[in-house]
Amino acid sequence: MPSLIEDYALIGNCASAALVGRDGSIDWMSLPRFDSDAFFASLLGNPENGRWLIGPTDQTSKATRQYRQGTLVLETRFETATGVVVLTDCMGRRRDHADVVRLVRCESGSVEMRIDLVIRFGYGLVVPWARRLGDDRLTMVAGPDRLTFTSPIPFTGKDMHTVAAFTLKAGEELPFSLEWAPSYLPIPASVDVKSVIEEASTAWAEWSGKHSFAVDAEWADLVLRSAITLKALTHFETGGIVAAPTTSLPEQLGGGRNWDYRYCWLRDATLTLYALMSSGFVDEAVAWRDWLVRAIAGTPDQMQIMYGIAGERRLSEFELPWLEGYEGSKPVRVGNAASDQLQLDVFGEVLDAMYQARRMGMDYDEFGWSIERALVDHLDTIWQQPDDGIWEIRGERQQFTHSKVMAWVAFDRAIRSVEEFELDHADVDRWRRTRDAIREQVLDKGYNAELGHFTQAYGSKHLDASLLLLTLVGFLPASDERMIRTVEAIEKTLLRDGFVLRYDTDSNVDGLTGHEGAFLPCSFWLVDNYTLMGRSDEAHALFKRLVGLCNDVGLLSEEYDVEAKRQVGNFPQAFTHVGLINSAHNLWRDVGPAQHRAESMEMTAAAE
């Protein structure tokens, strides 16, 4: 059995990432990119699908973990009956190579340790061809991939596993490394493990130390950890930020709501930009903006809701039947068919992201503005169509209220860009007419006067957590009675143990079977609504409960199963950590100095 989702920690090199369990087992890793085929896939199967375990032979040992302050260098401390050892894990990068390094150091007593290295390329399927080198390293090849294992102690092969055992005494330490390189290039030289760890520690600490966070001191470490997580999920060359480093971690344990999140969603663009900029990470925000412009370049009718790390468009979805799935959650999927959906809200997210980039002082980009104009003009011809909505439903298309509001946002932000930044070549009068028409339609058809609140779709009686965004994007002020009653209805209908569901899955709106956990980003949106409504005590209480779900090293997944009391969904989830950062900033503005209270919240220049 794999570990609990919340029992994993993240290591990475800003090109790919790995999940390390409390037991010292790396159960998920793909190189050289986040979306490459995994060669450690026991997370979605069993140890025969690939892992790298370094841990005490004493199965009763107690494990505690921490990151070195301000870094992505992980330290796991094992306390056994005979002594204490610390396992330090991190990743490095060398041109066409990538390194995973692990250092075991004994602090006291003596501890018997074991190694179990299982390489299975092709998502846990392909057994590589292995051979020993003259320097006693082990190199393993399958197709385009090569891994080279360096160990200071003897190891043997047993049942297609590479195993070893050793004992460390106080003061002793041993370094281990695994180097990835394309199989057609020369075998890479071994790395100095301690140097990689120190270089990674220094680089991360310098990156973290350049920035300050305008948040309550109580939450500063969690906000920094969330920012580090976003950085870790950002590709160092392209600037693209993946939603998560994993695929198919289930939204319902044992269910089929399992998706591949190793791609870049346009929907996350605005909130991510805001989170990065408000935290002082300007370079990363600019890189994300530039990725966005490159990715959406093309004819407006071909814009997708998500792209690959470098802006790839083809994200074909298929299943991996040889993997049994996390705790039996099948199918395991690679790729994402939702990339072909029509989701009108992404037009609003893109236009808002570009507007916020200007508002936050990023340089004017003529290429980007020309793309924006084309997108708005295209949206003018399709905004009345039904779509697949923010939640990427696989059921029948509908006239989703949130989609229409975000279409309004697209026109509103384009108009503001012209008015506030004197941009040209725009048919602003026509844009204003369309913006007003959308607003009138939403207030007429998206609001159910009989029920007294906005609804998920025109003519529907169901609620949707995306309605919480109406205030955050400035469509209506939080003081509007219709929004007050909508929030009250969401509290009554979509809260589970105080956390927010995206929608009622029993309505069959998504065309899927089964249920899902409470959606953590939506729960942070409720925090923001409480803050805007002046419900400060409730905002702080909910925020405190949400950050209380963070695991021991400050990480959160996409959802939370309130019955099983477990994190579910892909992990760690960028969108959740974006929500944590933004809510922390919003709460600080609510209680901080007057000039901060006067600043706008989230992605909005709200008209309250």
Side-chain angles (χ1 to χ4, degrees), residues 7 40-41 44 53 85 117 149 196 208 212 254 261-262 274 279 294 316 324 330 380 414 469 484 522 569 584 598 603:
D7 280 347
F40 293 151
L44 301 177
L53 170 70
V85 295
L117 174 64
F149 175 54
V196 172
S208 301
S212 61
Y261 273 22
R262 299 172 299 157
Y274 188 89
S279 301
R294 294 194 307 271
S316 303
E324 60 196 42
K330 289 187 175 182
D380 204 8
L469 291 170
I484 292 173
C522 295
M603 55 177 114

Side-chain angles (χ1 to χ4, degrees), residues 556-608:
L556 286 167
S557 66
E558 179 186 30
E559 299 183 3
Y560 181 70
D561 186 325
V562 298
E563 295 181 359
K565 307 297 182 185
R566 291 179 54 182
Q567 294 192 33
V568 291
N570 284 301
F571 176 90
Q573 175 75 3
F575 205 14
T576 304
H577 285 281
V578 165
L580 188 156
I581 293 172
N582 287 337
S583 290
H585 282 294
N586 293 335
L587 286 169
W588 187 82
R589 291 188 184 97
D590 185 49
V591 300
Q595 66 267 28
H596 291 282
R597 288 200 301 269
E599 291 180 2
S600 62
M601 289 183 54
E602 290 278 348
M603 55 177 114
T604 146
E608 189 168 3

